[in-house]
Amino acid sequence: MRIAILDVDYRSNVARAACVTAPSWATELPLATHVSDIESVQEYEPGAFYKRELPCLLRVLEQLAAKPDVIVIDGYVWLDGACRPGLGAHLYQALGNATPVVGVAKTAFHGAETCPAVVQVRRGTSARPLFVTAVGVDLAEAAGWVRGMAGLHRIPSLLAAVDQLSRSTFETPPGASAANAVAG
């Protein structure tokens, strides 16, 4: 299985989109890492976060040599019990409804604790859950994947790695663009 884990970090009006890939859910270290520096991002719009982040995710996904079997994002696929689409649902649609997307959020939206579209996953010794949502794959199966990801702590190792990669120092001056792929 080819898994792509994605995250984006913002600095003023620029962003760094990051992707780590892995051959299995139990993998501790990334198979490869990719970053894409985006020189101009849309302003944050309350209730429409996907408009800012989706183009960044699509940009870094363009660097992959092969289409992943599953994508993991830092965020939600569905936002409430009525299944209002979140970033993950918009990404799934942008990819032609062909690649399953699993959302892993660290904080709950209002009502997440009782939402049928959210599974709370506790990892390690943490009492605080991760909030898992999914599209294109059974939610219970997606929650099992997240539960089984490598790492002893609440945040799986690959999610921590992509977060760190997205926050890494930009390799180009602000205002310039770059797309880098680094074998990991």
Side-chain angles (χ1 to χ4, degrees):
M1 178 177 280
R2 291 180 306 265
I3 305 163
I5 300 103
L6 310 175
D7 201 357
V8 179
D9 183 49
Y10 299 93
R11 315 247 173 110
S12 186
N13 67 333
V14 298
R16 169 164 280 177
C19 173
V20 300
T21 60
S24 77
W25 295 98
T27 300
E28 181 77 27
L29 298 172
L31 180 63
T33 63
H34 305 269
V35 298
S36 183
D37 294 338
I38 297 96
E39 66 181 68
S40 179
V41 294
Q42 182 171 327
E43 290 293 320
Y44 171 72
E45 183 181 329
F49 174 68
Y50 74 92
K51 290 181 180 179
R52 182 177 200 206
E53 188 138 333
L54 182 61
C56 301
L57 298 180
L58 293 172
R59 174 87 63 90
V60 77
L61 281 171
E62 290 173 357
Q63 294 184 22
L64 302 183
K67 179 182 136 189
D69 297 312
V70 119
I71 296 171
V72 179
I73 62 160
D74 176 12
Y76 283 94
V77 173
W78 307 112
L79 297 176
D80 54 30
C83 291
R84 189 168 46 102
L87 175 62
H90 288 285
L91 177 59
Y92 182 72
Q93 183 178 22
L95 297 173
N97 301 329
T99 305
V101 176
V102 176
V104 180
K106 297 174 209 83
T107 58
F109 62 78
H110 179 71
E113 293 82 5
T114 59
C115 179
V118 176
V119 171
Q120 295 182 43
V121 172
R122 287 178 175 74
R123 292 179 32 90
T125 59
S126 179
R128 293 180 32 210
L130 295 171
F131 300 90
V132 177
T133 53
V135 63
V137 64
D138 179 73
L139 179 57
E141 184 174 14
W145 289 340
V146 172
R147 193 174 289 109
M149 289 180 82
L152 300 175
H153 305 288
R154 176 177 177 247
I155 308 299
S157 297
L158 291 174
L159 287 174
V162 76
D163 176 72
Q164 183 178 8
L165 183 62
S166 73
R167 295 173 190 270
S168 63
T169 304
F170 284 36
E171 294 180 11
T172 57
S177 69
N180 307 309
V182 179

